[in-house]
Amino acid sequence: ALFRWGHIIAGITWIGLLYFFNWVNAPLQLVLSGDTKKAVNPELLPRALFWFRWGAAWTWLTGVLLLMLVFYHGGLATESGDFSPGALAMIAVTFLAVFVYDKLVGLAALKDMKTLFVVGLILVALLTFLFSYVGGFGYRSMNIHLGAAFGTAMAFNVWFRIWPAQQKIITCVKEGTPPDGDLVALAGTRSKHNTYMSIPLIWTMMNFHSEVPWASFPT
């Protein structure tokens, strides 16, 4: 129960600030003058980013603890209740897929968001298939592992892409020098990715509580 409450509260903090940065702060920054940015951003952004990155860390950590407790220790990960080599491989894929994502989004061919979306959709479909037929995961387990893969990629973006870039950007603003355009683009792009991924992430978290949607259909 403590892990669940911690997961929910941290998740609300993280995703709420994610939407603030993308839907409120990003448009606001476009209309602020240089002097206003110099006065406001060094005070506002470090505070918001503190809760943002630690919300991400605690959401991921409590999510992994719940996954271990409910699914691995509780025997709900696979239909058989056993950990086959395929199941162990797909658990590893869940947490290592972030490095494939990080390489893919750096490719010039995938800079266009629409192209990236199509490629991402194909990869998610493949991952879903592998969870079910290689890992032997049930419907609920497939959902929550898919969510764990999204959440891991999002937490990685926060700590290893967005936060380091924002530290340098805030320093430049304090000093009154223009920040590196590549850093601004990197932070903005990864933040957009997280906003898009948050929708399927939340869907998997809610849908994990349901049974197979077609199970109640008449045969």
Side-chain angles (χ1 to χ4, degrees):
L2 290 174
F3 290 160
R4 287 185 185 277
W5 276 113
H7 190 56
I8 291 169
I9 293 169
I12 291 171
T13 303
W14 179 20
I15 301 302
L17 282 165
L18 173 65
Y19 291 165
F20 162 77
F21 279 122
N22 281 274
W23 295 345
V24 179
N25 186 65
L28 177 65
Q29 293 298 321
L30 297 176
V31 299
L32 293 181
S33 67
D35 289 340
T36 303
K37 287 182 181 180
K38 190 175 180 179
V40 172
N41 287 351
E43 298 297 326
L44 170 66
L45 295 184
R47 288 179 171 85
L49 286 166
F50 172 85
W51 291 103
F52 178 63
R53 68 182 189 275
W54 284 108
W58 282 104
T59 302
W60 186 86
L61 180 61
T62 53
V64 171
L65 289 171
L66 282 169
L67 190 60
M68 293 170 64
L69 180 66
V70 176
F71 281 85
Y72 303 156
H73 181 70
L76 299 178
T78 63
E79 293 278 27
S80 65
D82 299 323
F83 288 96
S84 66
L88 294 174
M90 292 314 300
I91 291 172
V93 167
T94 299
F95 295 102
L96 296 177
V98 57
F99 299 109
V100 177
Y101 154 79
D102 191 50
K103 290 294 183 183
L104 285 176
V105 297
L107 297 176
L110 297 181
K111 293 296 183 183
D112 177 66
M113 201 70 75
K114 292 180 181 178
T115 304
L116 180 61
F117 173 78
V118 172
V119 172
L121 198 61
I122 293 170
L123 291 176
V124 168
L126 175 62
L127 193 59
T128 302
F129 176 85
L130 293 174
F131 280 149
S132 299
Y133 293 98
V134 175
F137 295 169
Y139 178 73
R140 294 175 66 196
S141 182
M142 179 272 293
N143 266 321
I144 208 61
H145 280 86
L146 191 60
F150 279 115
T152 300
M154 292 170 63
F156 174 89
N157 276 341
V158 170
W159 277 93
F160 298 103
R161 296 295 178 260
I162 298 172
W163 171 236
Q166 286 288 359
Q167 284 179 294
K168 295 176 182 177
I169 292 169
I170 292 169
T171 299
C172 289
V173 172
K174 283 182 179 179
E175 296 173 350
T177 59
D180 187 335
D182 290 340
L183 285 176
V184 175
L186 174 64
T189 298
R190 294 305 178 94
S191 189
K192 285 181 181 178
H193 289 180
N194 277 11
T195 302
Y196 294 139
M197 284 192 284
S198 70
I199 305 301
L201 170 66
I202 294 171
W203 183 88
T204 60
M205 291 172 67
M206 293 187 301
N207 209 37
F208 137 78
H209 293 285
S210 70
E211 298 297 331
V212 179
W214 52 85
S216 59
F217 288 5
T219 57

